[in-house]
Every structure is written in structure tokens, then in C-alpha cells.
Amino acid sequence: MLVGSLIAACNEAAVEQTPLADLPVPTSPAIPPTFTPLPPGSEINAIPVVTVTQEPLPTQVTSTPIPFGANVVELRLTIPSLGLDRRLQGSVNSQIILVDESNGFSVQRDNQASVLLDLQQVLPELVVAEVPEGCETCVYVSYSLPFSGVEDEGWLRDPVLLASLENYFTITLGPHFPPGAVLGLRRSASPYAPAHSLAMMEDGRLYRWLANEGEVSEATAASQSLIDALNAVNPAALAQQYAAPCAGSPLESLLLAGRDGQRLIALVCPEFSLSSDLQPLYVEMDAALNEMLDSSEATLPRPPAGFPLDAVLDYQRIDGAQLTIYLDNTAVATAGGSSEPISTTLASSQVVSLTTNILSSGSLRTGLTTFLDGESGDATATPRSVLLVRGPGGVYDAQWFNTADAEVLVELNNLLNQILAGDTAVTPGTPQATPEETVAATEAATTATPTVPPDNN
């Protein structure tokens, strides 16, 4: 009844309506439009927003699972003359297995997605040549990308990929040396040369090769001095590693093999770390490698080291005079500044006696502390005398600030003075002129400028 009454009331009110055109239109004053809120309690409730969410369609279960163990990259690298035969296989789950077929050693590496991605991008663009018939020194590569159906094989000559693959295999499987090698040395890449290696066989054949070259040089005969140096080494007396903190130095691996088994010794910055026991052999290997590096266009000349590789002693006196004694017993002395060096040859027993007396004094220690700032401030700016001696434990050093009168330096000062005076007939220990008198005689004294280890040895 209430609804009917409301409808009837509405009908009655609508009987007499005035047309819109007859309504008066106010002209002034103009009433600005304003917002008039509704009386309290009369607000119209907002209509709630209804969000309709459609349920996702069920995923259709496939009958073929994702092949996480399937290979996406397969690659094999061989150099017949060196007996090198290494391969890798990378799977969908970013896992790479590397195998050295020459000895059966294998390593599994996880989380190698970036390496696999690089190989999948590089290999399809790689151009390989046909391997010359009977080329035992050529680098042979074969690869396959199963998911894309790309595969090829042939002579790998791309220097970037050659160096990259050699480095990746080496850091995982270790350096490669021909089976049966009795001596080997491998250096990683440096600002001056790509990675390179040397290996000597029991019959005296010597192999040398660069990591970025697609063909290995034929074996040559090793020098008799290299063979003699190897025979003189006692592997049991050597440490597991010889290292010095020289920034930019390549990492090196030295192989010594014999009847007692094999030893792999780690080396870093050999100029400042080699022991006197290992020095003669390493110097011969370095000379053999330099013959190859000097003839390569991929290398740059290295700056001279502050402490030469073939030096056994280096003494820089506070007055600027310097004495360096080398492995072949050659002694070179300078009075400092631009003075001409004076060279002479010492008796082997004289050198041994001098270095033995210095080391037995206990004044020198290993660790290259003379290249660090001491309690007195900047060691490179404070006047001082510096001494480095290569001994059985590596390189020993010490420094004396504002003096050269330490007892351990007496014999050394006498030898330096007599060489500068042109008198080499007197044996060490015989009193000679004082350092000040020697400097006055030569008129070439300058403030000492110690040599620090180079950043890129």
C-alpha cells in the first residue's frame, strides 16, 4: 500500500506542470555555483566495486620433461705433437665437464652459464681451415651445438679463441705438458706476452709454444746448460711455491719430473722470489723462452727488473754507490749518478763466502720489507742503504737508514770500494778507503735512489 500511495502522489503532482520555457530566468545578481553537501544521514551509499577474477586455465602437462642434462655445447681441442687432447661438454643446467683425455683427469664446474653463452655466440661465427695433411703441430678443434644443429671441425687459428680456450682448460685441469716431459714451465698472460709454455723431454727435445698461435713449433735440442741445470737441482730441497707481491706478474707453474715422481711448483715474480737453489735452472728456461718471445709479433719487451733475475746480490749504498753480483760471478759497480759502470769477475769461492757471511749474520729476512714504509716514514724518500741477497729461502733484504756503517756491511763496502778504485786484486775484508773517500775520488756521489719491484714483472 505504501508503494501505491507514493505512485499516486507522484501522478497527482504531475497533472499541472509549467513548461521549462515559461520559467523565469534570473538575470542579476548572478549566483555563483557552489557545492552544497547533502544533509547528514542522507548520503547515497557508494555502489561497491566488484572485481571478477578469472581462474587461469590449467597448464597442459607435457609428456616430455625439460632435458636439464642434455648438452648444449661439445668441444674438443687437440695438438698431436704435444699429446694435448682436452674436451668440454656443457649442459642445459649451466654445468660444464672438462676432461683431459691424455690422463683421464676430469673436473665438473657448476654455474657456467656465461661461459656457455659465450661459446654458443662465438662458435657459429668461427671459421676453421682444413688441417694440412700430416700436420702434427696444428691445433685441431671440433665442436657441436646440438640444440641449433651447428657443428664443424678443422684447424683453429683464431688467436683470441685459442688463448681463451687454453686459459679456461688450464685454470680447471692445470697446465699441459707433453706426456713424458721431465721439465716444464707455463706462464699465464701478462701485459707483455700471451700465455706461453716450455717442456723438455727425457731425450733432450725442447718444445716451446704460445697459447694464441694455431701451430706449435717443431721440437729443438735443448742446450747443454739447461740439461746440466736440471741435473743439478734437488727437487726435494725446493718449496711448494715462491711468490712475491709484484702487481701484474703472471702466474707460473714449474714442472719437475723424475724417478721420484712429479712436482708442480707455483711461481709469482721470480726475480724477487726465486731461491738460490732454483735460480740457475729458471734462468736457463727463461733464456730459452725469450728466444721464442723475441721472434713473436704478439709480445712486447719487458722493462728490466729492479733486482735482476740472474743476480745473487744487490747493494745500494746511502752515498749512491751500487754493487750487483750476478750468477756467473760478474760484479758490476757504479759510483752513482751518471758514472760509468765498472765490471769485474770474482772468484766463485769469493761470492759464496760473501753471501754466506751476510746471511749467517741474521740481519736480513725474507719478505721484501725494504719496499714497505717503515716506522721512520716513507722508505723511498729517507736516505738509506739497501741490501738484497738471494739465498736458499728466496730473496732476503734489509735496510739501514742514514748509515752504511753496519757491521754486516763492512766486507761488502770493502769490495765495492776496491772495485770503484780499479783494484780487484785484494780479497774482501782487506781495509780500503772509506765510502766518503771513494765518493770524493770518483766525484760522482748522488743521493741514493732505491729501486722498487716493478709493477708488471
PDB file of all heavy atoms in Angstrom, residues 347-373:
ATOM      1  N   ALA A 347     135.992 -14.548  -7.988  1.00  0.00           N
ATOM      2  CA  ALA A 347     136.116 -15.986  -7.816  1.00  0.00           C
ATOM      3  C   ALA A 347     134.817 -16.534  -7.217  1.00  0.00           C
ATOM      4  O   ALA A 347     134.163 -15.874  -6.404  1.00  0.00           O
ATOM      5  CB  ALA A 347     137.292 -16.316  -6.910  1.00  0.00           C
ATOM      6  N   SER A 348     134.451 -17.731  -7.652  1.00  0.00           N
ATOM      7  CA  SER A 348     133.214 -18.327  -7.149  1.00  0.00           C
ATOM      8  C   SER A 348     133.242 -18.473  -5.640  1.00  0.00           C
ATOM      9  O   SER A 348     132.245 -18.203  -4.954  1.00  0.00           O
ATOM     10  CB  SER A 348     133.001 -19.693  -7.806  1.00  0.00           C
ATOM     11  OG  SER A 348     131.850 -20.324  -7.296  1.00  0.00           O
ATOM     12  N   SER A 349     134.386 -18.871  -5.107  1.00  0.00           N
ATOM     13  CA  SER A 349     134.504 -19.017  -3.653  1.00  0.00           C
ATOM     14  C   SER A 349     134.340 -17.687  -2.944  1.00  0.00           C
ATOM     15  O   SER A 349     133.810 -17.623  -1.824  1.00  0.00           O
ATOM     16  CB  SER A 349     135.861 -19.636  -3.310  1.00  0.00           C
ATOM     17  OG  SER A 349     136.920 -18.829  -3.805  1.00  0.00           O
ATOM     18  N   GLN A 350     134.787 -16.604  -3.595  1.00  0.00           N
ATOM     19  CA  GLN A 350     134.662 -15.278  -3.016  1.00  0.00           C
ATOM     20  C   GLN A 350     133.202 -14.867  -2.887  1.00  0.00           C
ATOM     21  O   GLN A 350     132.768 -14.314  -1.868  1.00  0.00           O
ATOM     22  CB  GLN A 350     135.428 -14.280  -3.878  1.00  0.00           C
ATOM     23  CG  GLN A 350     135.503 -12.870  -3.333  1.00  0.00           C
ATOM     24  CD  GLN A 350     136.331 -11.971  -4.221  1.00  0.00           C
ATOM     25  OE1 GLN A 350     136.844 -12.395  -5.263  1.00  0.00           O
ATOM     26  NE2 GLN A 350     136.473 -10.723  -3.816  1.00  0.00           N
ATOM     27  N   VAL A 351     132.407 -15.161  -3.925  1.00  0.00           N
ATOM     28  CA  VAL A 351     130.986 -14.825  -3.902  1.00  0.00           C
ATOM     29  C   VAL A 351     130.255 -15.657  -2.863  1.00  0.00           C
ATOM     30  O   VAL A 351     129.426 -15.144  -2.090  1.00  0.00           O
ATOM     31  CB  VAL A 351     130.368 -15.028  -5.300  1.00  0.00           C
ATOM     32  CG1 VAL A 351     128.862 -14.797  -5.260  1.00  0.00           C
ATOM     33  CG2 VAL A 351     131.019 -14.114  -6.318  1.00  0.00           C
ATOM     34  N   VAL A 352     130.564 -16.950  -2.828  1.00  0.00           N
ATOM     35  CA  VAL A 352     129.908 -17.828  -1.853  1.00  0.00           C
ATOM     36  C   VAL A 352     130.225 -17.378  -0.432  1.00  0.00           C
ATOM     37  O   VAL A 352     129.347 -17.323   0.440  1.00  0.00           O
ATOM     38  CB  VAL A 352     130.335 -19.280  -2.080  1.00  0.00           C
ATOM     39  CG1 VAL A 352     129.812 -20.172  -0.953  1.00  0.00           C
ATOM     40  CG2 VAL A 352     129.837 -19.780  -3.423  1.00  0.00           C
ATOM     41  N   SER A 353     131.500 -17.040  -0.178  1.00  0.00           N
ATOM     42  CA  SER A 353     131.896 -16.598   1.164  1.00  0.00           C
ATOM     43  C   SER A 353     131.182 -15.307   1.551  1.00  0.00           C
ATOM     44  O   SER A 353     130.699 -15.159   2.687  1.00  0.00           O
ATOM     45  CB  SER A 353     133.411 -16.396   1.213  1.00  0.00           C
ATOM     46  OG  SER A 353     133.814 -15.844   2.442  1.00  0.00           O
ATOM     47  N   LEU A 354     131.085 -14.382   0.615  1.00  0.00           N
ATOM     48  CA  LEU A 354     130.453 -13.092   0.899  1.00  0.00           C
ATOM     49  C   LEU A 354     128.977 -13.262   1.239  1.00  0.00           C
ATOM     50  O   LEU A 354     128.492 -12.745   2.255  1.00  0.00           O
ATOM     51  CB  LEU A 354     130.627 -12.162  -0.300  1.00  0.00           C
ATOM     52  CG  LEU A 354     129.976 -10.780  -0.206  1.00  0.00           C
ATOM     53  CD1 LEU A 354     130.598  -9.977   0.926  1.00  0.00           C
ATOM     54  CD2 LEU A 354     130.109 -10.036  -1.538  1.00  0.00           C
ATOM     55  N   THR A 355     128.239 -13.983   0.380  1.00  0.00           N
ATOM     56  CA  THR A 355     126.800 -14.147   0.617  1.00  0.00           C
ATOM     57  C   THR A 355     126.529 -14.995   1.850  1.00  0.00           C
ATOM     58  O   THR A 355     125.577 -14.726   2.601  1.00  0.00           O
ATOM     59  CB  THR A 355     126.130 -14.790  -0.614  1.00  0.00           C
ATOM     60  OG1 THR A 355     126.780 -16.036  -0.915  1.00  0.00           O
ATOM     61  CG2 THR A 355     126.222 -13.878  -1.817  1.00  0.00           C
ATOM     62  N   THR A 356     127.354 -15.985   2.095  1.00  0.00           N
ATOM     63  CA  THR A 356     127.155 -16.839   3.275  1.00  0.00           C
ATOM     64  C   THR A 356     127.347 -16.040   4.557  1.00  0.00           C
ATOM     65  O   THR A 356     126.557 -16.169   5.512  1.00  0.00           O
ATOM     66  CB  THR A 356     128.121 -18.028   3.241  1.00  0.00           C
ATOM     67  OG1 THR A 356     127.889 -18.803   2.065  1.00  0.00           O
ATOM     68  CG2 THR A 356     127.925 -18.911   4.467  1.00  0.00           C
ATOM     69  N   ASN A 357     128.381 -15.222   4.595  1.00  0.00           N
ATOM     70  CA  ASN A 357     128.625 -14.419   5.789  1.00  0.00           C
ATOM     71  C   ASN A 357     127.490 -13.432   6.046  1.00  0.00           C
ATOM     72  O   ASN A 357     127.106 -13.186   7.201  1.00  0.00           O
ATOM     73  CB  ASN A 357     129.951 -13.661   5.646  1.00  0.00           C
ATOM     74  CG  ASN A 357     131.154 -14.581   5.682  1.00  0.00           C
ATOM     75  OD1 ASN A 357     131.069 -15.707   6.176  1.00  0.00           O
ATOM     76  ND2 ASN A 357     132.275 -14.118   5.154  1.00  0.00           N
ATOM     77  N   ILE A 358     126.971 -12.845   4.985  1.00  0.00           N
ATOM     78  CA  ILE A 358     125.884 -11.876   5.146  1.00  0.00           C
ATOM     79  C   ILE A 358     124.629 -12.559   5.683  1.00  0.00           C
ATOM     80  O   ILE A 358     123.983 -12.072   6.635  1.00  0.00           O
ATOM     81  CB  ILE A 358     125.596 -11.168   3.812  1.00  0.00           C
ATOM     82  CG1 ILE A 358     126.773 -10.258   3.433  1.00  0.00           C
ATOM     83  CG2 ILE A 358     124.304 -10.367   3.898  1.00  0.00           C
ATOM     84  CD1 ILE A 358     126.641  -9.629   2.061  1.00  0.00           C
ATOM     85  N   LEU A 359     124.258 -13.702   5.097  1.00  0.00           N
ATOM     86  CA  LEU A 359     123.033 -14.382   5.526  1.00  0.00           C
ATOM     87  C   LEU A 359     123.176 -14.962   6.932  1.00  0.00           C
ATOM     88  O   LEU A 359     122.210 -14.976   7.702  1.00  0.00           O
ATOM     89  CB  LEU A 359     122.680 -15.491   4.526  1.00  0.00           C
ATOM     90  CG  LEU A 359     122.258 -15.026   3.132  1.00  0.00           C
ATOM     91  CD1 LEU A 359     121.978 -16.219   2.227  1.00  0.00           C
ATOM     92  CD2 LEU A 359     121.028 -14.129   3.204  1.00  0.00           C
ATOM     93  N   SER A 360     124.372 -15.440   7.260  1.00  0.00           N
ATOM     94  CA  SER A 360     124.562 -16.032   8.582  1.00  0.00           C
ATOM     95  C   SER A 360     124.550 -14.987   9.694  1.00  0.00           C
ATOM     96  O   SER A 360     124.405 -15.327  10.874  1.00  0.00           O
ATOM     97  CB  SER A 360     125.885 -16.800   8.618  1.00  0.00           C
ATOM     98  OG  SER A 360     126.982 -15.933   8.387  1.00  0.00           O
ATOM     99  N   SER A 361     124.675 -13.713   9.337  1.00  0.00           N
ATOM    100  CA  SER A 361     124.641 -12.663  10.354  1.00  0.00           C
ATOM    101  C   SER A 361     123.256 -12.500  10.963  1.00  0.00           C
ATOM    102  O   SER A 361     123.107 -11.941  12.052  1.00  0.00           O
ATOM    103  CB  SER A 361     125.089 -11.330   9.747  1.00  0.00           C
ATOM    104  OG  SER A 361     124.116 -10.838   8.840  1.00  0.00           O
ATOM    105  N   GLY A 362     122.237 -12.932  10.262  1.00  0.00           N
ATOM    106  CA  GLY A 362     120.874 -12.800  10.766  1.00  0.00           C
ATOM    107  C   GLY A 362     120.278 -11.424  10.591  1.00  0.00           C
ATOM    108  O   GLY A 362     119.175 -11.155  11.075  1.00  0.00           O
ATOM    109  N   SER A 363     120.954 -10.540   9.872  1.00  0.00           N
ATOM    110  CA  SER A 363     120.458  -9.167   9.695  1.00  0.00           C
ATOM    111  C   SER A 363     119.412  -9.059   8.602  1.00  0.00           C
ATOM    112  O   SER A 363     118.678  -8.071   8.539  1.00  0.00           O
ATOM    113  CB  SER A 363     121.632  -8.230   9.373  1.00  0.00           C
ATOM    114  OG  SER A 363     122.588  -8.233  10.412  1.00  0.00           O
ATOM    115  N   LEU A 364     119.350 -10.046   7.714  1.00  0.00           N
ATOM    116  CA  LEU A 364     118.422  -9.998   6.592  1.00  0.00           C
ATOM    117  C   LEU A 364     117.300 -10.997   6.800  1.00  0.00           C
ATOM    118  O   LEU A 364     117.481 -12.050   7.418  1.00  0.00           O
ATOM    119  CB  LEU A 364     119.138 -10.301   5.270  1.00  0.00           C
ATOM    120  CG  LEU A 364     119.964  -9.165   4.641  1.00  0.00           C
ATOM    121  CD1 LEU A 364     121.212  -8.861   5.466  1.00  0.00           C
ATOM    122  CD2 LEU A 364     120.366  -9.521   3.201  1.00  0.00           C
ATOM    123  N   ARG A 365     116.134 -10.674   6.255  1.00  0.00           N
ATOM    124  CA  ARG A 365     114.960 -11.535   6.344  1.00  0.00           C
ATOM    125  C   ARG A 365     114.274 -11.606   4.985  1.00  0.00           C
ATOM    126  O   ARG A 365     114.434 -10.719   4.147  1.00  0.00           O
ATOM    127  CB  ARG A 365     113.955 -10.993   7.371  1.00  0.00           C
ATOM    128  CG  ARG A 365     114.463 -10.950   8.802  1.00  0.00           C
ATOM    129  CD  ARG A 365     114.531 -12.341   9.406  1.00  0.00           C
ATOM    130  NE  ARG A 365     114.845 -12.288  10.842  1.00  0.00           N
ATOM    131  CZ  ARG A 365     116.061 -12.252  11.338  1.00  0.00           C
ATOM    132  NH1 ARG A 365     117.107 -12.223  10.509  1.00  0.00           N
ATOM    133  NH2 ARG A 365     116.250 -12.225  12.652  1.00  0.00           N
ATOM    134  N   THR A 366     113.507 -12.651   4.776  1.00  0.00           N
ATOM    135  CA  THR A 366     112.685 -12.725   3.570  1.00  0.00           C
ATOM    136  C   THR A 366     111.438 -11.883   3.760  1.00  0.00           C
ATOM    137  O   THR A 366     111.050 -11.555   4.881  1.00  0.00           O
ATOM    138  CB  THR A 366     112.287 -14.178   3.268  1.00  0.00           C
ATOM    139  OG1 THR A 366     111.605 -14.714   4.405  1.00  0.00           O
ATOM    140  CG2 THR A 366     113.505 -15.039   2.960  1.00  0.00           C
ATOM    141  N   GLY A 367     110.771 -11.545   2.657  1.00  0.00           N
ATOM    142  CA  GLY A 367     109.531 -10.765   2.732  1.00  0.00           C
ATOM    143  C   GLY A 367     109.593  -9.404   2.081  1.00  0.00           C
ATOM    144  O   GLY A 367     108.586  -8.701   2.005  1.00  0.00           O
ATOM    145  N   LEU A 368     110.766  -9.006   1.576  1.00  0.00           N
ATOM    146  CA  LEU A 368     110.910  -7.718   0.876  1.00  0.00           C
ATOM    147  C   LEU A 368     110.404  -6.565   1.730  1.00  0.00           C
ATOM    148  O   LEU A 368     109.667  -5.694   1.260  1.00  0.00           O
ATOM    149  CB  LEU A 368     110.173  -7.757  -0.465  1.00  0.00           C
ATOM    150  CG  LEU A 368     110.671  -8.801  -1.469  1.00  0.00           C
ATOM    151  CD1 LEU A 368     109.834  -8.763  -2.737  1.00  0.00           C
ATOM    152  CD2 LEU A 368     112.138  -8.588  -1.798  1.00  0.00           C
ATOM    153  N   THR A 369     110.806  -6.506   2.979  1.00  0.00           N
ATOM    154  CA  THR A 369     110.355  -5.441   3.869  1.00  0.00           C
ATOM    155  C   THR A 369     110.946  -4.083   3.497  1.00  0.00           C
ATOM    156  O   THR A 369     110.412  -3.049   3.896  1.00  0.00           O
ATOM    157  CB  THR A 369     110.743  -5.769   5.312  1.00  0.00           C
ATOM    158  OG1 THR A 369     112.162  -5.981   5.377  1.00  0.00           O
ATOM    159  CG2 THR A 369     110.045  -7.031   5.790  1.00  0.00           C
ATOM    160  N   THR A 370     112.032  -4.061   2.749  1.00  0.00           N
ATOM    161  CA  THR A 370     112.638  -2.773   2.388  1.00  0.00           C
ATOM    162  C   THR A 370     111.794  -1.999   1.396  1.00  0.00           C
ATOM    163  O   THR A 370     112.048  -0.812   1.165  1.00  0.00           O
ATOM    164  CB  THR A 370     114.037  -2.984   1.775  1.00  0.00           C
ATOM    165  OG1 THR A 370     113.925  -3.876   0.658  1.00  0.00           O
ATOM    166  CG2 THR A 370     114.973  -3.585   2.780  1.00  0.00           C
ATOM    167  N   PHE A 371     110.787  -2.642   0.813  1.00  0.00           N
ATOM    168  CA  PHE A 371     109.921  -1.939  -0.127  1.00  0.00           C
ATOM    169  C   PHE A 371     108.635  -1.470   0.519  1.00  0.00           C
ATOM    170  O   PHE A 371     107.721  -1.004  -0.140  1.00  0.00           O
ATOM    171  CB  PHE A 371     109.602  -2.846  -1.321  1.00  0.00           C
ATOM    172  CG  PHE A 371     110.821  -3.245  -2.087  1.00  0.00           C
ATOM    173  CD1 PHE A 371     111.363  -4.508  -1.957  1.00  0.00           C
ATOM    174  CD2 PHE A 371     111.444  -2.344  -2.926  1.00  0.00           C
ATOM    175  CE1 PHE A 371     112.507  -4.872  -2.649  1.00  0.00           C
ATOM    176  CE2 PHE A 371     112.584  -2.699  -3.625  1.00  0.00           C
ATOM    177  CZ  PHE A 371     113.119  -3.963  -3.480  1.00  0.00           C
ATOM    178  N   LEU A 372     108.554  -1.603   1.860  1.00  0.00           N
ATOM    179  CA  LEU A 372     107.391  -1.145   2.601  1.00  0.00           C
ATOM    180  C   LEU A 372     107.772   0.048   3.451  1.00  0.00           C
ATOM    181  O   LEU A 372     108.926   0.209   3.849  1.00  0.00           O
ATOM    182  CB  LEU A 372     106.866  -2.265   3.504  1.00  0.00           C
ATOM    183  CG  LEU A 372     106.499  -3.581   2.802  1.00  0.00           C
ATOM    184  CD1 LEU A 372     106.070  -4.611   3.843  1.00  0.00           C
ATOM    185  CD2 LEU A 372     105.399  -3.364   1.784  1.00  0.00           C
ATOM    186  N   ASP A 373     106.805   0.884   3.757  1.00  0.00           N
ATOM    187  CA  ASP A 373     107.054   2.040   4.615  1.00  0.00           C
ATOM    188  C   ASP A 373     107.334   1.574   6.038  1.00  0.00           C
ATOM    189  O   ASP A 373     106.556   0.830   6.639  1.00  0.00           O
ATOM    190  CB  ASP A 373     105.844   2.986   4.622  1.00  0.00           C
ATOM    191  CG  ASP A 373     105.653   3.650   3.272  1.00  0.00           C
ATOM    192  OD1 ASP A 373     106.584   3.558   2.459  1.00  0.00           O
ATOM    193  OD2 ASP A 373     104.592   4.233   3.045  1.00  0.00           O
TER     194      ASP A 373
END
